[in-house]
Amino acid sequence: MTHGTNAPAPRASSWSLPAAPRLPLALAMGALGGWMTDLGFPDGAAWPLTIVGVALVLASLRGRSVGGALLVGAVSGFAFYGTLIEWLTIYLGVVPWLALTLAQVFFTSLGAVIITLAWRWVPRAWPGTAGRLLLTPVIVAGAWTLREAVSSTFPFGGFAWGRLAHSQAEGPLGHWAAWIGFSGLTWLLATLAALLVVVAIESREGVLRRSILVVGVTATALVWPAFPVAVTGTTTVAAVQGNSDAGLFAGREPGDILQDHYDATVPLFDTGLDLDMVVWPENASDLDPLRSELSAAVLDQVSDRLDAPVVVGTITVDGDETFNSALLWRDGEGALDQYDKVRPVPFAEYLPAREFFYPLAPDLFDLVPRDYAFGQRDTVFDIDGVMAGIAICFDIVDDDLVQRMVDEGAQVLLAPTNNADFGRTDQSVQQLGIARLRAIEQGRSLVNASTVGASAIVAPDGSTIDALPLFEKGTMVAEVPLSDTITPAHALGRTIEWFAILLTLASIAIAGVSARREPA
């Protein structure tokens, strides 16, 4: 009698990797994958390594128990975020870096469990070729997108830094941001990574068929055209980088940062340029021109000599409330408009639940002596008929806030920021990368003006119109394209994100119920 176990293996299984690595190997894969994922982000910008790194993390979660998934998810999350945000240690030390990293590890661990369940149940519920080779990678990627969506919004507004989409700031897939937004781009990248895993481990299909699948999907993603953006005009912008030591521990005298940015602007005075606006960074006027005659006089002079309004960052006070603000200032008229940062950064610009958190680390939280209030004003300035959206520093990571700017009529985005607290780390180029993707996503030019860099003017297609070196005083002057185009990403808003989440949860739930009904 011939037993089935002695029959030759089908040719289709002639090349494949083990479907479920043992836990020690999975932990090593998770750590390596988390580290490699970071390499695709600015300043490394080796974008293929992000996809390979995510593939390693996803592969490490196949065949895991819930406990094993939590452990592997924690290791991979720590390797990724611990590397990505090491810039927090420059002036603030290890504690804030460790706290934020562990907060993200909490989410990556829970997300890893969902990914493990997707690997376990979905191909069993849909065992056909399409289910195993297409649906399963899409749902696994949806689980990654779900985790990212939650951690980007919760708690206290979340930490939307390090989304997979950000790795494509200068990559060939960045143009997808205009079609499907940041969450959609994350879903696409995670799907490509999951397809790599399927190609490596799927033993019921031939190598050629598996390879054709991943090559075909990748090629389609790469050759898909950029969304066309119609230019409706231009505006001439001068953006200033004062190279000012504007960090938390700088110990500057009041007015020094204002002086730095004035000095950087002076070379423009006798150039005869016909400017439409001048953009100074966040906190460029460390004296509030609404309360300081000196600051008001300086801005008056800049506006008068350049015959253009000045967008300037400062700290304003209204009664008992303090705001991180941007003012639109014109000589002889003062502040024509004001934007107050709508969502200050928790644990940096305000301390949530101060009575609870402060006793836990009083020395650390003494660095947040005041709580900036949440702004209630609109997000755009009307600059002589040009509608400019204002995103102060970390505003640029907030999907809803950027969406609101365009809804309120923004034809160009201004992103004043102060990166002085992070030294010569990757933080400033990471932030510029996010801003670059925002320009693509919304089909708007973007002016990123920093106190120390990275400062750049970015076109709606993400290309650089002008830029300044880090830690050098200077100005950028350019004809900046304007647009009223509404991209598919803007029109869809969070629709794709919600679709990914609901499809993922529904598929895993159905597959889980189906698995429980299978006979033992």
Side-chain angles (χ1 to χ4, degrees):
M1 181 177 180
T2 301
H3 297 281
T5 54
N6 295 325
R11 181 177 298 275
S13 61
S14 59
W15 184 89
S16 62
L17 295 179
R22 295 182 180 275
L23 184 58
L25 177 58
L27 291 172
M29 291 169 61
L32 178 61
W35 174 72
M36 288 184 67
T37 300
D38 169 67
L39 295 179
F41 286 72
D43 189 33
W47 67 269
L49 294 182
T50 288
I51 297 176
V52 174
V54 173
L56 281 172
V57 173
L58 296 179
S60 70
L61 293 169
R62 287 182 59 88
R64 303 269 71 81
S65 65
V66 170
L70 288 170
L71 184 57
V72 172
V75 168
S76 64
F78 192 91
F80 172 60
Y81 280 102
T83 305
L84 182 78
I85 62 172
E86 55 83 26
W87 37 261
L88 268 179
T89 65
I90 298 300
Y91 293 112
L92 300 180
V94 172
V95 174
W97 165 81
L98 183 61
L100 184 54
T101 299
L102 291 179
Q104 297 311 301
V105 163
F106 171 79
F107 289 107
T108 57
S109 295
L110 295 181
V113 173
I114 302 174
I115 291 170
T116 290
L117 295 178
W119 279 130
R120 181 185 305 169
W121 289 338
V122 173
R124 289 170 60 184
W126 292 277
T129 299
R132 290 179 289 107
L133 297 186
L134 288 175
L135 180 62
T136 297
V138 167
I139 299 306
V140 168
W144 185 291
T145 306
L146 164 62
R147 187 274 304 167
E148 194 176 272
V150 173
S151 64
S152 294
T153 55
F154 177 86
F156 311 122
F159 184 64
W161 198 278
R163 298 163 78 175
L164 286 188
H166 298 167
S167 68
Q168 292 302 302
E170 298 183 37
L173 298 174
H175 66 280
W176 277 96
W179 291 99
I180 55 180
F182 280 29
S183 288
L185 181 51
T186 282
W187 194 14
L188 173 62
L189 294 169
T191 298
L192 293 176
L195 281 171
L196 289 178
V197 178
V198 168
V199 166
I201 59 91
E202 180 57 58
S203 60
R204 284 178 282 180
E205 301 292 338
V207 175
L208 180 60
R209 178 179 293 187
R210 288 181 267 158
S211 300
I212 289 174
L213 172 65
V214 71
V215 170
V217 172
T218 302
T220 300
L222 289 171
V223 302
W224 193 270
F227 183 77
V229 173
V231 174
T232 57
T234 63
T235 186
T236 307
V237 178
V240 178
Q241 177 175 293
N243 190 26
S244 184
D245 189 1
L248 186 63
F249 302 109
R252 307 292 301 279
E253 292 296 322
D256 284 354
I257 300 171
L258 172 67
Q259 185 68 49
D260 288 337
H261 286 87
Y262 173 79
D263 291 342
T265 309
V266 167
L268 296 177
F269 284 177
D270 298 318
T271 58
L273 291 169
D274 185 12
L275 300 176
D276 295 311
M277 67 181 79
V278 180
V279 180
W280 279 14
E282 175 190 21
N283 303 139
S285 179
D286 51 336
L287 298 176
D288 176 10
L290 300 179
R291 294 175 290 154
S292 166
E293 292 183 2
L294 172 61
S295 178
V298 169
L299 292 175
D300 278 345
Q301 184 178 12
V302 171
S303 177
D304 175 52
R305 292 293 301 271
L306 297 177
D307 192 25
V310 181
V311 176
V312 56
T314 191
I315 305 302
T316 62
V317 175
D318 185 2
D320 295 331
E321 294 184 316
T322 302
F323 297 93
N324 186 352
S325 303
L327 303 178
L328 177 62
W329 192 274
R330 189 188 293 276
D331 172 41
E333 299 179 65
L336 303 177
D337 204 347
Q338 178 172 335
Y339 166 72
D340 300 325
K341 195 171 185 181
V342 172
R343 294 181 182 172
V345 180
F347 302 100
E349 294 178 309
Y350 78 100
L351 184 60
R354 181 174 287 271
E355 64 282 356
F356 172 78
F357 284 109
Y358 182 81
L360 300 179
D363 291 340
L364 177 63
F365 291 134
D366 278 339
L367 299 177
V368 192
R370 60 186 173 187
D371 294 329
Y372 286 104
F374 288 62
Q376 302 297 320
R377 302 173 188 268
D378 64 31
T379 62
V380 294
F381 287 166
D382 184 342
I383 306 178
D384 295 329
V386 173
M387 302 300 292
I390 312 297
I392 298 177
C393 198
F394 275 38
D395 277 349
I396 204 66
V397 307
D398 191 306
D399 290 351
D400 292 337
L401 188 56
V402 177
Q403 189 91 354
R404 178 180 163 188
M405 294 172 196
V406 175
D407 286 341
E408 291 179 352
Q411 300 165 289
V412 61
L413 303 179
L414 308 181
T417 183
N418 177 13
N419 305 102
D421 274 322
F422 306 108
R424 297 181 180 273
T425 66
D426 289 350
Q427 187 276 339
S428 61
V429 290
Q430 287 174 11
Q431 185 173 327
L432 177 58
I434 297 170
R436 191 180 301 278
L437 279 174
R438 286 297 183 202
I440 299 171
E441 177 196 47
Q442 298 299 328
R444 298 293 185 273
S445 299
L446 184 143
V447 180
N448 197 81
S450 171
T451 49
V452 295
S455 296
I457 300 176
V458 180
D461 64 357
S463 61
T464 299
I465 296 174
D466 199 357
L468 290 170
L470 289 167
F471 292 94
E472 288 189 17
K473 185 175 296 185
T475 59
M476 302 176 290
V477 179
E479 287 285 333
V480 177
L482 303 174
S483 179
D484 295 320
T485 297
I486 298 299
T487 63
H490 181 86
L492 290 168
R494 290 191 176 272
T495 302
I496 291 179
E497 180 178 276
W498 277 109
F499 178 74
I501 291 171
L502 294 176
L503 176 65
T504 298
L505 293 177
S507 299
I508 292 175
I510 293 170
V513 171
S514 176
R516 288 180 176 274
R517 289 178 177 175
E518 291 180 1

